[in-house]
Structures are given as C-alpha cells and as structure tokens.
C-alpha cells in the first residue's frame, strides 16, 4: 500500500517535469497559456497528494517541515472532539464510564468547546454551526387534522345520514316520475342543504383545531436561562443548542438532555419520564445526568447540553403525542344533556307528525294542489306511494333536525375559541377550555402580592447596619467585606459587565437582582473577585417554608468554615445572639436590642418594604449542616416593590362584581397589611376587624371547624406557606365558593390544582406552576386577572343569549309543524326550508351572538355561582313571549292566510316561511341583551353581527325570489314583503315590553320540585 502511494506521487512529479520542459520555439502568447495550464495542473497534483496524505495517515513519508491541509470539511472532526452518537448514548444510557473517559463533566465541557462560566460564543455563525452538527431543539409534531377529517366526522351524524338516505330516495323517485330536468329539485335541494350544514360545521371545527395548535405552540415556547459570552440571558427553549450552559432553579423544566457541571442541593423530579415519584439527587460525585422534560424539585445548578430535540427521549415521546382538542367543558356537558332532552321531544313530535301524515295519506284525506286525492287504493302506482312516504319521512326527519339544537355545542365552541383568541391579546393564555367559563362563576380570588399586585421591580431603599441607618461609606470595611461574602456567595443571581461598557447587568429573581444591584453600586462589590477567593462547602437553597437560604464556605487554601444566612428579617433575627454595629464591633443582643430591631422591621414594613436580614458565623464545624443559632446579625435591608398602576381599580371592580379578593403572601404581617391597604383589599372597616389579617401559622393551627368559620372573613394572610394557601382554597370550596388562585412557585402547584381556576404567572411562574394551572397570566398583572373574570362572565352570558334565541326557534317550528300536520295533513315548512332555518339559527346565529365582546355591565352583577340554572327565569320570560307571538301569527297565516291575502296555497306557504325567518332575524337583536331594553347599544362596534344579519337577509331574498324550485317558494310582491317585515318587526316592541315584567329570583322549576316533596 505504501508503494502504491509513492508510485502515485512519482508519476505526478514526472508529469510535472515533462510539462516544465517548454519548447523554445513557442510564441509569447502560447507560452503564457502553457504556463497557466502548468499552474492549474501543479495545483491539482499538490491537492491530490495532500488528500492522500491525510486520508492514509502514516503511509506517506513526511519531512519535519511537512504540512498537509484537509480540504474535505468535516465539521465534527475540526470543531468538536465528540460526535452526536456518543453524546446521545451518554445521557440516554447514563453512561458514567464514557463520561469518565472524556475527563468527567469538565472534559465534556472542553470537548464541546464551551465554558462553565462563560458559556458558548453567541455569534450567529457559531450557533448555526452547532445546530447543523448536533441538531435543533425541536421535535416532529403529529400532523394537524385536515379539513377532510372534520367533513367525514360531520357526515357521521345520524340525522345527516337519515337526511342523505331521504334525499337519495327522493332524487331517484323524482327523476323517475318527472324526468331529470324537473325531478331532481326535491332530492337535490335536500342534498345541497345537507352539504351546507356539513360544510359550516366542518369549517368551524377545523378552525377551532387550528386555534388549539397555535396555542399549543405558544404554551410550549418556554423561556430558559443560559450563559453565553459570560452573560446570563433568557432565550426560547427552541433556541437551545448542544454546548449551551443552562442555569437551573427550582420549578424549571430541563430543556434538553445534559450533564450537571455546577450547583448545589439539586433534586430532580423524573416522574414525567420514569413514572417514579421519588426525587433524584444530581451532583458531581454521584448521578450527573439530566433528562429533557424533567423538573427541578429543589436546589440550583448549571448543566451543559449534550442532546437536543429528536435526539432526546422526551423529543421522541412528544413527537408521538397529539393534543386532545375534544376536551369537553362542564358547560358543554350540560348543553349536551339539554340538547339530548330537546332532541327526545323533537323525536316524539316527529314520530307523531309522521304517524298523522301516514294515516291521513292512506285514508285518502291528503289531497294534491288541484284538490284530488293522492291515494286511491290500488289505482295509485307503487312508485307514487313510495315517493309520498319518502317525502313524509323527510319532513319528519327535518323536524328532528330543527328540534335538535346542534347549534348549542357549536355556539360553545365558537364562543370559547373566540374568547381564547381575544384573551391572548388581553395577556391571558388559556390552557384548559373549561377555565374560560368557570372563571365567570368565581366568587373568591386568592392572589399573590409580589409581581401580581406589585410591579416586581424591586430596589433597596432602606438599610440598617446594626441599630444605625446610614450610608455604606460610614460602615466599617470589615462589615462591608462580610456583606460582600454574604451577597456574592449566597445567591442564585449573577452580575455581568461587558468589557467595553460601564453598565452592569443583573440576573436572577427580582429580590436577588435588587440585593446584587445594591451590593455592587453601594458597597462596591466585585462579585467575580469574591467568588474566585472562596470555595463553597455546602449550600441550603431558599425554602418557602423556612424563608431563608444559607451557604457554608471558606477562603481558598483557608481552614475556617464560615456560614452566611439571608432571608426574612424576623426569621434571621430569631437565629442571632449578637450583632455588628456600624464600626465593626460585635455586640451582644440584649432584650432591649431585640425589641429595637423588631421596631425597625415593623417601621420598614409599614412603608410597604420587604425586609431581608443577613447573618454570619465563623465556628461552623459540621460541613453537612449549616449552623442555625447564635449567629451575628450583619444588617437589614428594606426592598421597595411599588404597587402596579391600576391595580386598585381592578380590585374595586372585582369587589363591586361580588368577588371577594384575598391576598396570600410570604411577607411579614406589617408589609402585607400596608400593601393590602394601598391596593384597596383592606378597607377601613376591615382594619378594625382583628380577623381580617393573620399569619399562615395561626391559620394552620386552627381546627377544621375554626377554619371554616373564619376563612370568609380573612382578607390577608401573611407569612404563609404554600400549604396554607392549599388549606384556604380547600376550606372555601367546602363552603360552596368557586375559587380562583394565582401562583408562581413550584410549591403552589397543589393549591393551583385544588382551585376551580388555577392562574399561574407567565413571567415569574415556574414551569411546574404553569402546568398545574388552567390559565397563564402573561404579564403577571392583577388587572389581567380582572379581565379574565370579565371574559369568563362574557362566555357564559353569550351562550345564554344563544340558548334563548335558539329555543325560541325550536319551540315555534315544532308547534307550527305539529299543529299543521295534525289538522291539515301537511307541513307548511318543507325539508329544505327547515334546513335553511336550521342553518341560520345553528351557525350564523351562533357566530353572531357568541362573538359579542365583554361589557362593563357584566361586572355589575353578582357571581353566577356553582349551581345556578343554565336557563334562568329571565330567559324563560323572553323566550316564551317571542315563541308565543311567532306561533300565533304563523298559525293565523296557516289557516287564514289564503283568505286574508287572497293568494294561492304556495304563496301562503312562502309567506309563512318568509315571516318565520324574518322573525328570527329581528329576534336576534332582542337576544343581544337578556335584561337591557336597549338592544342596539354597542351595535356599531360589532361589525360581525351586522355582517351576519345582512348576509342572512340577502340569502333569504335569494331563497324566496330566485330559488323557487330549489326552495319550493313563490315570488312575493313588495306589499307581501312589507307585511312579512311588519309582522317580524313586532318582535322588537314585544321584547321591550316583556323586559318590564318582573320575574322571581327563585327558579320556576324549583317550585315543581318543592310540590313533589310536599
């Protein structure tokens, strides 16, 4: 083999030598061409030799000065010392041996050309190179359901199938009897009407499905903290690449497979992957592997990403999961029961109509247009009999179609889909459909303080060193240095300063950022320098129960272990026996000093400040446990978090709407009280009530009977734990309240799940909290919670409007057809006409009434509550009045129409059909408001409603005037149109008068139940 390579090179060299021997007789231009050719040939020869040298390493003899360039661009070989397959195997199989062979986590970081402290280079080329080499952090989704799928689903409806059979039979007999030119009208028109209903239903469901897909993409776009170019920044989970250094805190979702490189007390909930509920500890000395999709249960740390997207087990699992868009909300379930009940009545009426029509036909009482008997015993052809029976069955089936309010589920779907879309614009992302409607029934909202009622823009405005309040410049350097240690080493935040800039960037929680900012700007802390000078021995991460965090550390090459604590001022104060004064002298904390410190904390809290204390001790012998007593207090800082603008108005709106607002916070009782007064949650009356404000521990220690007795009077719960919040929600639900709860922490998950509506925070909320919630408040603002309440009421109100509108049509159509069939042996409204009415009320009506926007009037009513009836007394009053008017008018037209207007039977039937449809158009305006007399208020803002009314009227004109054979109608003159419009317009004054009639608050049906019991 060696010989072959040498021969190859020798042949090339010989060829070059031959070319160099140029004939002297060549002209100048020819010599130039020859030299150009030689250059090209030589270049190719050198390149060829270089390739052979690189590909067959060790086979080509090299000199000491030899250099070869690999011109084939192998990205993995040139840029990274590890390939994708090795990385995938590493975490998937928890291959510790492979990790050790790479040099452990540090060796892996080096192989991926990244850095634990600085992260990867954030240049676009570098990110793209990593994405091309190792893949992107996205997974293949299940394809969305197509429009054809929903068309097929719509055709599975039993009534549609029956109508199609009737249409087919009618078409066959019609063509046989009247020929193709005239015979297709009856059957063909039923076909067209059916296809219209199917098309509208399929398109509506298809659009809703698309809406869900969009929401799914938005909800899965999680924000992740990464370090790039030494700067901690927030990026989309989809932008994560292999080699990224990801910062992990409690409640975060692990965004990709990776290896732990730095951190403390990290525990991971792997139940989403393994099903095991026990938390797995992750450390540098034990298990170092982290799986995509798992959640951080405790501690904090950093990981380097090794696999992304479809290369992770989570990505492969998610690619096979499709979101269920067939979620049934409680209201939809109730409406399905209502639909079923009305359907049974319709079925009964249809059966009686069919029975009466068959009896009348076979007894010779049914006559044709000329007045001749349709059935003449044996003289009647079998085709004519079958055709007549098919027409009767079609009429009966269309009565069922009209009777069954298929529009109710469609109206719910439309209003929920519409409100979800609009709520996104109002900073609320709906994760569960049922929350839209349940929110309208909410009677109590339990809200957090920080970030929800306040801006979450924290700043240190007050600080005390010992018993002295003052500037950092007047404090002993020794105390300042201890503060530097306590702030820099005991934090989950970070400080970044660009080499070229003078501005600092602070990252972490708002509290951490406020403290870091104060330490850097006021105490002149150099965080990097402090971290480089010290080693962390043990960490106790912040705990919402203990409300503190601590770190055990020592100087590099030092022997003394030092403990630093930071947390809620009164909690830290209770752990101290001495304190440092401003001059750096340690003083014993006497009883008078303790009282003085408590007063300082109270005075700061009264100014709505969050009080954080710092404590220190040197004699910590146990390296696994931090000392918790006989500490030295370093100082107390007060952090101001201003109330959000407009929050007081939002609280007042909710209270005026009959919704009780309770504030549950981890702050001390004085800060909580001050903020509650500022936000309007506590009134002057409440301040006189000793039970309005209490601490979580006190509530926790009550007996269950005491809790149930006092919980409704509580307005503020301070120093509360997530368990206290859970207890309060449980008690309120036991008392029959519909409870909405806001939460942002991992420990809030039980309360969010227990509540009727869980509202998580989009900015500060952890992924665990978001997954446990029903609605995500994207801007963390309480005003958005009030907006969600208004939308919830709007959804419920819109559906009630549509129920009233549709049941009016159902009752009128059923009664008219039933009475006409029994008395005259014929139905005035044909199958096609009834299907058209069905299309108007089911689809266009739903679209018009279900998309009304919320008004401020909705917030003037009391909450609906948990067991309020769907059809109220007000709705029955409006519905029965309109139905009675329509039935009366149409029956007069049925029996006296020909003599009154001196018209033919067909024109009379057209008048009935036209008047009936126009009555629905006018009644649609009445349905816009259940109680208000002025139904035109805000009409100009709802262009969709106006558009649907115009479309309905135009289509009705087309049906009557131009589709005579299709719709079985006759043209009407101007006078007849005027009569139809005048009759229909009476619906408005009737609606206005009826709304003046008072109705009892107690529901009609409750009297029937009471009579049965008695």
């Amino acid at each position: 083999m060696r010989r072959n390579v040498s021969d190859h090179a020798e042949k090339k060299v010989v060829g070059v030598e031959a070319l160099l021997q140029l004939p002297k007789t060549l002209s100048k231009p020819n010599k130039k061409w020859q030299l150009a050719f030689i250059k090209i040939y030589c270049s190719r020869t050198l390149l060829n030799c270089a390739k052979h040298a690189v590909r067959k390493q060790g086979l080509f003899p090299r000199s000491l000065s030899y250099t070869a360039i690999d011109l084939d661009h192998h990205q993995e070989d040139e840029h990274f010392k590890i390939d994708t397959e090795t990385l995938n195997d590493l975490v998937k199989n928890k291959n510790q041996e492979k990790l050790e062979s790479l040099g452990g986590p540090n060796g892996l970081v080096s192989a991926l050309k990244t850095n634990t402290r600085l992260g990867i280079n954030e240049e676009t080329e570098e990110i793209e190179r990593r994405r091309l080499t190792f893949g992107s952090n996205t997974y293949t989704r299940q394809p969305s359901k197509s429009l054809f799928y929903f068309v097929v689903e719509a055709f599975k409806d039993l009534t549609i199938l029956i109508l199609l059979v009737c249409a087919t039979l009618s078409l066959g007999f019609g063509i046989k009897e009247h020929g193709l030119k005239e015979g297709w009208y009856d059957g063909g028109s039923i076909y067209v009407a059916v296809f219209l209903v199917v098309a509208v239903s399929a398109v509506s469901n298809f659009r809703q499905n698309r809406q869900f897909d969009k929401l799914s993409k938005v909800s899965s776009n999680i924000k992740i903290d990464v370090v790039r170019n030494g700067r901690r920044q927030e990026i989309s989970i989809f932008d994560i690449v292999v080699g990224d250094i990801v910062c992990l805190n409690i409640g975060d979702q692990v965004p990709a497979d990776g290896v732990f490189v730095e951190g403390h007390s990290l525990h991971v909930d792997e139940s989403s992957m393994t099903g095991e509920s026990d938390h797995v500890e992750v450390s540098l000395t034990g298990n170092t592997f982290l799986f995509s999709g798992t959640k951080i249960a405790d501690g904090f740390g950093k990981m380097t990403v090794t696999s992304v997207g479809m290369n992770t087990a989570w990505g492969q699992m998610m690619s096979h999961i499709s979101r269920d868009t067939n979620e049934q909300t409680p209201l939809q379930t109730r409406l399905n029961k209502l639909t079923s009940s009305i359907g049974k009545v319709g079925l009964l009426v249809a059966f009686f109509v069919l029975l009466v029509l068959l009896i009348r036909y076979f007894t010779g009482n049914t006559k044709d247009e000329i007045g001749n008997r349709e059935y003449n015993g044996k003289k009647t052809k079998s085709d004519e009999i079958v055709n007549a029976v098919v027409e009767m069955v079609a009429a009966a089936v269309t009565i069922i179609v009209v009777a069954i309010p298929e529009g109710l589920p469609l109206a719910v779907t439309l209003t929920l889909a519409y409100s979800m879309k609009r709520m996104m614009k109002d900073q609320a992302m709906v994760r569960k459909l049922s929350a839209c409607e349940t929110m309208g029934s909410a009677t109590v909202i339990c809200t957090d303080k920080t970030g929800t009622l306040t801006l979450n823009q924290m700043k240190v405005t007050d600080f005390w060193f010992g018993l002295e309040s003052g500037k950092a410049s007047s404090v002993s350097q020794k105390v300042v240095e201890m503060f530097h240690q306590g702030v820099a080493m005991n934090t989950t935040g970070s400080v970044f300063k660009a080499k070229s800039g003078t501005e600092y960037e602070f990252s972490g929680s708002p509290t951490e950022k406020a403290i870091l900012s104060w330490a850097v700007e006021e105490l002149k802390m150099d965080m990097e320098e402090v971290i480089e000078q010290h080693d962390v021995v043990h960490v106790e991460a912040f705990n919402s129960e203990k409300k503190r965090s601590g770190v055990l550390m020592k100087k590099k090459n030092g022997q003394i272990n030092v403990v630093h604590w930071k947390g809620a001022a009164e909690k830290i104060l209770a752990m101290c026996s001495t304190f440092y004064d401003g001059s750096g002298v340690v003083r014993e904390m006497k009883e008078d000093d303790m009282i003085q410190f408590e007063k300082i904390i109270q005075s700061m809290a009264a100014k709505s400040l969050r009080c954080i204390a710092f404590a220190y001790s040197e004699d910590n012998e146990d390296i696994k446990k931090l000392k918790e007593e006989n500490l030295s207090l370093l100082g107390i800082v007060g952090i101001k978090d201003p109330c959000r603008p407009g929050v007081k108005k939002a609280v007042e709106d909710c209270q005026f709407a009959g919704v009780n607002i309770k504030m549950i916070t981890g702050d001390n009782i004085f800060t909580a009280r001050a903020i509650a007064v500022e936000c309007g949650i506590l009134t002057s009356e409440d301040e006189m009530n000793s039970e309005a404000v209490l601490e979580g521990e006190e509530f926790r220690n009550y007996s269950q009977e005491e809790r149930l007795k006092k919980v409704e009077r509580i307005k503020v719960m301070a120093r509360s734990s997530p368990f206290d919040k859970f207890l309060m929600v449980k008690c309120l639900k036991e008392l029959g309240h519909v409870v909405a709860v806001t939460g942002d922490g991992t420990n809030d998950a039980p309360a969010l799940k227990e509540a009727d509506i869980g509202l998580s925070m989009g900015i500060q909320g952890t992924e665990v909290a978001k997954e446990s919630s029903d609605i995500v408040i994207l801007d963390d603002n309480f005003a958005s919670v009030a907006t969600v309440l208004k939308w919830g009421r709007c959804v419920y109100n819109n559906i009630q409007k549509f129920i009233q509108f549709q049941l009016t049509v159902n009752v009128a159509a059923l009664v008219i057809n039933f009475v006409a069939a029994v008395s005259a042996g014929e139905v005035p409204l044909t199958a096609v006409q009834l299907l058209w009415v069905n299309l108007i009320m089911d689809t266009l009506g739903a679209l018009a009434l279900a998309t009304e926007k919320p008004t401020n009037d909705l917030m003037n009513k009391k909450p609906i509550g948990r067991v309020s009836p769907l059809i109220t007394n007000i709705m029955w009053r409006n519905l029965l009045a309109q139905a009675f008017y329509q039935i009366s008018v149409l029956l007069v037209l049925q029996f006296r129409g020909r003599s009154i207007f001196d018209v033919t039977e067909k024109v009379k039937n057209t008048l009935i059909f036209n008047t009936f449809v126009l009555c629905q158009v006018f009644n649609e305006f009445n349905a816009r408001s259940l109680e208000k007399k002025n139904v035109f208020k805000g009409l100009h803002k709802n262009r969709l409603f106006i558009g649907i009314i115009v479309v309905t009227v135009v289509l009705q004109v087309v049906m009557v005037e131009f589709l005579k054979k299709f719709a079985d109608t006759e043209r009407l003159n101007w006078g007849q149109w005027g009569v139809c419009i005048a009759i229909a317009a009476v619906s408005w004054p009737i609606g206005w008068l009826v709304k003046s009639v008072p109705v009892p608050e107690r529901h009609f049906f409750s009297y029937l139940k009471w009579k049965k019991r008695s």
Side-chain angles (χ1 to χ4, degrees):
M1 191 67 188
R2 184 189 291 269
R3 182 69 195 152
N4 289 346
V5 175
S6 301
D7 290 346
H8 179 80
E10 280 173 22
K11 284 175 186 174
K12 291 282 180 187
V13 172
V14 170
V16 172
E17 283 176 353
L19 284 167
L20 290 170
Q21 293 172 3
L22 295 173
K24 292 177 182 179
T25 53
L26 285 175
S27 62
K28 244 184 181 180
N30 285 341
K31 276 185 180 179
K32 284 183 180 178
W33 279 111
Q34 188 78 4
L35 285 168
F37 177 72
I38 289 166
K39 283 179 184 176
I40 294 165
Y41 191 85
C42 288
S43 301
R44 286 184 176 173
T45 303
L46 288 168
L47 290 175
N48 213 335
C49 289
K51 285 181 183 177
H52 278 275
V54 175
R55 288 176 184 169
K56 310 270 193 286
Q57 287 182 17
L59 299 178
F60 196 82
R62 303 181 182 185
S63 67
L64 290 172
S65 61
Y66 176 85
T67 305
I69 301 167
D70 182 7
L71 294 169
D72 284 352
H73 191 58
H74 294 294
Q75 284 183 331
E76 286 181 19
D77 295 339
E78 186 184 338
H79 295 286
F80 307 105
K81 298 173 185 175
I82 191 165
D83 59 32
T84 309
E85 284 184 25
T86 307
L87 286 170
N88 293 348
D89 174 66
L90 199 66
V91 177
K92 272 185 189 174
N93 300 318
K94 291 191 174 184
N95 196 333
Q96 193 68 39
E97 286 181 20
K98 186 72 182 174
L99 184 62
E100 293 303 325
S101 70
L102 290 165
N106 288 335
L108 177 65
V109 166
S110 176
L112 290 170
K113 302 282 183 183
T114 183
N115 184 290
T116 305
R117 191 171 63 85
L118 301 175
I120 62 170
N121 188 338
E122 63 177 337
E123 287 177 9
T124 310
E125 288 177 13
E126 174 66 13
I127 302 296
E128 200 54 41
R129 184 183 292 125
R130 289 175 182 272
R131 198 169 279 134
L132 286 168
T133 306
F134 300 110
S136 64
N137 199 30
T138 54
Y139 52 83
T140 311
R141 293 176 176 273
Q142 289 280 76
S144 296
K145 291 170 183 172
S146 64
L147 180 61
F148 180 72
Y149 169 85
F150 292 104
V151 170
V152 172
E153 284 298 303
F155 272 115
K156 289 179 182 177
D157 188 283
L158 184 62
T159 51
I160 294 291
L161 291 172
I162 294 169
L163 277 171
L164 284 172
V165 171
C166 291
T168 306
L169 291 171
S170 181
L171 189 67
F173 290 120
I175 292 170
K176 188 177 180 183
E177 189 176 343
H178 304 291
L180 183 61
K181 194 176 180 181
E182 299 283 333
W184 70 273
Y185 289 126
D186 285 350
S189 54
I190 297 173
Y191 267 127
V192 172
V194 166
F195 279 113
L196 268 173
V197 172
V198 166
V200 171
S201 173
V203 168
S204 299
N205 288 327
F206 175 67
R207 286 187 66 188
Q208 186 209 2
N209 190 60
R210 292 285 293 273
Q211 181 79 11
F212 272 118
D213 285 345
K214 283 179 186 174
L215 280 171
S216 181
K217 284 174 187 174
V218 171
S219 61
S220 59
N221 187 11
I222 301 162
K223 297 296 177 187
I224 305 293
D225 271 1
V226 298
V227 179
R228 289 181 178 177
N229 277 12
R231 178 170 161 261
R232 186 165 164 175
Q233 53 191 282
E234 203 175 61
I235 64 168
S236 165
I237 190 171
F238 303 128
D239 294 333
I240 297 271
V241 292
V242 169
D244 258 323
I245 300 296
V246 178
C247 303
L248 299 169
N249 288 302
I250 296 176
D252 286 351
Q253 178 177 314
V254 178
D257 286 358
V259 170
F260 179 74
V261 292
E262 189 182 285
H264 300 278
S265 312
L266 197 71
H267 287 79
V268 180
D269 176 8
E270 292 186 353
S271 58
S272 59
M273 292 295 292
T274 62
E276 296 293 328
S277 57
D278 292 338
H279 296 161
V280 178
E281 187 177 357
V282 179
S283 66
L284 288 170
T285 54
N287 170 42
T288 56
F289 302 106
L290 289 149
F291 291 101
S292 176
T294 56
K295 307 286 189 305
I296 305 301
D298 199 7
F300 60 91
K302 288 179 181 177
M303 66 170 253
T304 184
V305 175
T306 57
S307 302
V308 291
M310 292 301 290
N311 291 327
T312 66
W314 178 257
Q316 289 171 3
M317 184 173 77
M318 291 303 288
S319 68
H320 293 99
I321 295 172
S322 58
R323 183 183 169 115
D324 180 23
T325 56
N326 297 321
E327 176 195 353
Q328 284 281 306
T329 71
L331 189 55
Q332 280 176 322
T333 308
R334 286 173 76 181
L335 285 175
N336 285 341
K337 286 181 183 176
L338 179 66
T339 302
S340 176
S341 303
I342 296 169
K344 286 171 186 174
V345 174
L347 197 64
L348 196 65
V349 171
F351 175 74
F352 274 118
V353 167
L354 182 61
L355 195 64
V356 169
L357 289 175
L358 287 169
I359 291 168
R360 288 184 68 90
Y361 178 78
F362 287 110
T363 54
N365 289 319
T366 306
K367 295 176 181 179
D368 58 20
E369 291 174 7
I370 306 164
N372 297 328
R373 288 169 60 176
E374 287 191 6
Y375 180 74
N376 294 301
K378 293 178 182 179
K379 293 177 183 177
T380 310
K381 294 175 184 178
S382 58
D383 286 358
E384 289 176 6
I385 295 170
V386 173
N387 202 26
V389 170
V390 164
E391 282 180 13
M392 292 174 208
V393 171
V397 170
T398 45
I399 288 172
I400 297 170
V401 172
V402 173
I404 296 173
E406 296 116 322
L408 289 179
L410 181 63
V412 179
T413 301
L414 284 169
T415 193
L416 288 175
Y418 175 74
S419 60
M420 281 170 72
K421 193 176 179 181
R422 297 291 304 187
M423 282 164 81
M424 274 294 279
K425 291 181 182 176
D426 289 337
Q427 302 300 317
M429 185 181 77
V430 180
R431 294 187 75 255
K432 291 179 185 172
L433 262 181
S434 54
C436 281
E437 62 199 43
T438 313
M439 194 65 193
S441 310
T443 56
V444 177
I445 297 175
C446 299
T447 177
D448 284 335
K449 175 188 79 73
T450 307
T452 309
L453 297 170
T454 60
L455 281 168
N456 217 8
Q457 293 171 1
M458 299 192 183
K459 188 178 180 182
V460 174
T461 58
D462 210 349
F463 38 93
W464 290 73
F465 300 102
L467 293 167
E468 300 167 18
S469 173
K471 294 182 178 178
S473 55
S474 62
V475 181
S476 155
Q477 189 58 34
K478 184 185 176 184
V479 175
V480 170
E481 281 179 15
M482 285 191 283
F483 256 108
H484 285 181
Q485 292 174 13
V487 173
M489 303 305 291
N490 185 17
T491 183
T492 54
S494 63
V495 179
F496 173 77
K497 184 183 179 185
K499 289 178 183 177
S500 56
T502 55
E503 291 289 316
Y504 286 94
E505 269 186 41
F506 303 98
S507 59
S509 70
T511 307
E512 294 284 11
K513 286 196 280 189
I515 292 169
L516 286 170
S517 170
W518 169 73
V520 169
E521 291 165 11
E522 292 284 337
L523 304 182
K524 309 302 176 193
M525 178 186 79
D526 185 335
M527 191 164 175
E528 279 196 32
E529 188 181 306
V530 177
I531 291 169
E532 282 172 10
Q533 290 173 356
H534 298 85
D535 285 325
V536 173
V537 179
H538 187 66
V539 169
E540 187 169 309
F542 180 81
N543 184 299
S544 57
E545 293 285 340
K546 294 181 177 179
K547 302 198 182 298
R548 67 189 185 199
S549 65
V551 62
L552 183 64
M553 50 178 262
K554 64 179 180 180
K555 282 197 173 183
K556 286 200 172 163
N557 304 318
Q559 298 297 318
I560 302 170
N561 288 334
V562 176
V563 66
H564 277 277
W565 283 101
K566 172 183 76 182
E570 67 270 28
K571 301 279 184 184
I572 299 296
L573 185 63
M575 297 160 68
C576 297
S577 58
T578 57
F579 68 94
Y580 278 88
D581 63 13
S583 58
V585 177
V586 180
R587 298 180 182 276
E588 187 185 343
M589 193 176 291
K590 296 174 182 174
E591 194 174 332
D592 288 347
D593 296 325
M594 183 68 81
I595 292 167
Q596 194 65 32
F597 276 116
E598 285 173 356
K599 283 182 178 177
I600 288 168
I601 293 167
Q602 286 177 24
S603 68
M604 290 166 81
K607 293 186 279 185
S608 305
L609 299 181
R610 172 177 280 188
C611 304
I612 307 289
F614 293 83
Y616 159 92
S617 180
E618 282 191 354
D619 54 342
N620 203 108
E621 294 174 4
D622 189 351
I623 61 167
K624 288 290 181 186
K625 194 173 187 299
L626 273 65
K627 186 178 176 182
E628 296 182 9
E629 55 190 22
N630 296 323
L631 306 175
S632 296
L633 184 73
L634 291 175
I636 302 168
V637 299
I639 301 174
K640 179 72 176 174
D641 185 12
C643 275
R644 285 182 178 273
V647 76
K648 191 169 186 178
K649 172 77 168 60
V651 168
E652 285 173 359
D653 288 346
C654 289
Q655 289 171 337
F656 190 70
V659 180
N660 217 327
I661 308 295
K662 299 183 188 295
M663 185 176 90
I664 304 173
T665 177
D667 281 337
N668 70 44
I669 199 161
F670 304 103
T671 307
R673 187 189 291 272
I675 292 286
V677 170
E678 200 177 333
C679 293
I681 292 171
L682 273 182
T683 60
S684 52
E685 290 176 12
D686 293 323
E687 288 190 74
M688 301 295 291
N689 176 15
S690 60
E691 293 181 347
V693 183
L694 85 169
E695 288 193 344
E697 190 178 359
E698 188 183 341
F699 183 73
R700 204 183 314 141
N701 293 334
Y702 283 154
S703 67
Q704 179 65 5
E705 289 75 22
E706 284 179 306
R707 278 198 289 266
L708 289 170
K709 188 180 176 183
K710 296 181 179 183
V711 71
E712 288 184 310
R713 292 196 289 274
I714 296 168
K715 289 290 184 77
V716 177
M717 187 154 70
R719 283 287 176 246
S720 64
S721 68
F723 180 69
D724 299 329
K725 188 186 276 191
F726 174 78
L727 267 180
M728 178 173 269
V729 172
K730 209 168 181 185
C731 290
L732 288 165
K733 282 183 75 177
E734 277 186 44
L735 292 170
H737 286 283
V738 178
V739 188
V741 169
T742 71
D744 54 10
T746 303
N747 293 329
D748 287 329
L752 288 167
K753 283 183 177 177
E754 179 67 23
D756 295 289
I757 313 104
L759 303 159
S760 65
M761 299 297 113
I763 299 169
Q764 287 301 310
T766 63
E767 283 312 307
V768 174
K770 287 176 190 175
E771 284 194 10
S772 303
S773 67
D774 306 304
I775 296 173
V776 180
I777 305 298
L778 298 173
D779 61 354
D780 290 16
N781 192 344
F782 185 80
S784 298
V785 176
T787 305
V788 170
L789 177 69
K790 195 189 287 186
W791 269 109
R793 292 189 172 192
C794 179
V795 167
Y796 203 87
N797 193 49
N798 284 352
I799 289 163
Q800 283 188 316
K801 289 175 189 176
F802 181 69
I803 290 170
Q804 178 187 296
F805 170 68
Q806 187 167 43
L807 290 187
T808 305
V809 188
N810 288 136
V811 172
L814 277 175
V815 173
I816 293 156
N817 270 8
F818 179 71
V819 172
V822 170
S823 58
E826 59 181 18
V827 284
L829 299 171
T830 65
V832 173
Q833 290 170 357
L834 284 173
L835 283 169
W836 166 235
V837 172
N838 195 53
L839 186 67
I840 291 172
M841 66 179 187
D842 271 9
T843 310
L844 298 178
L847 201 60
L849 295 170
T851 54
E852 287 272 359
K853 293 178 185 176
T855 59
N856 292 327
D857 293 337
L858 291 168
M859 299 295 274
N860 297 336
K861 300 176 185 176
K862 288 181 181 178
I864 301 157
R866 199 180 290 277
V867 290
S868 298
L870 196 58
I871 307 175
T872 63
N873 289 351
I874 289 167
M875 289 166 68
W876 280 117
R877 177 196 66 190
N878 299 344
L879 184 160
L880 292 172
Q882 293 292 343
F884 180 75
Y885 170 70
Q886 288 180 23
I887 291 163
S888 304
V889 168
L890 296 175
L891 286 178
V892 168
L893 286 175
Q894 170 67 17
F895 296 109
R896 293 285 182 267
R898 285 183 68 175
S899 56
I900 292 170
F901 297 104
D902 191 24
V903 291
T904 62
E905 185 71 22
K906 209 161 189 180
V907 173
K908 180 205 77 175
N909 286 342
T910 304
L911 282 169
I912 292 172
F913 168 57
N914 202 33
T915 305
F916 185 57
V917 169
L918 291 175
C919 278
Q920 311 324 317
V921 171
F922 279 88
N923 195 34
E924 212 160 331
F925 285 89
N926 288 327
R928 287 191 72 238
S929 176
L930 301 176
E931 295 177 67
K932 297 272 179 184
K933 290 183 177 181
N934 182 4
V935 293
F936 304 107
K937 188 180 179 182
L939 185 64
H940 62 285
K941 293 178 184 176
N942 195 340
R943 292 177 184 175
L944 184 63
F945 184 91
I946 297 167
I948 285 167
I949 294 294
V950 171
V951 167
T952 305
V953 171
V954 169
L955 289 174
Q956 180 62 16
V957 171
V958 171
M959 284 283 283
V960 172
E961 298 295 322
F962 303 104
L963 299 175
K964 294 199 299 177
K965 291 186 176 176
F966 171 79
D968 199 17
T969 55
E970 282 291 321
R971 283 191 171 184
L972 301 178
N973 59 38
W974 286 104
Q976 289 162 345
W977 269 100
V979 168
C980 293
I981 292 167
I983 293 170
V986 177
S987 296
W988 284 351
I990 288 174
W992 190 86
L993 287 167
V994 162
K995 284 172 185 173
S996 303
V997 178
V999 291
E1001 284 188 21
R1002 190 175 170 187
H1003 200 261
F1004 293 144
F1005 291 115
S1006 64
Y1007 292 102
L1008 297 173
K1009 288 177 184 176
W1010 182 76
K1011 282 181 182 177
K1012 282 180 183 177
R1013 284 174 194 160
S1014 61

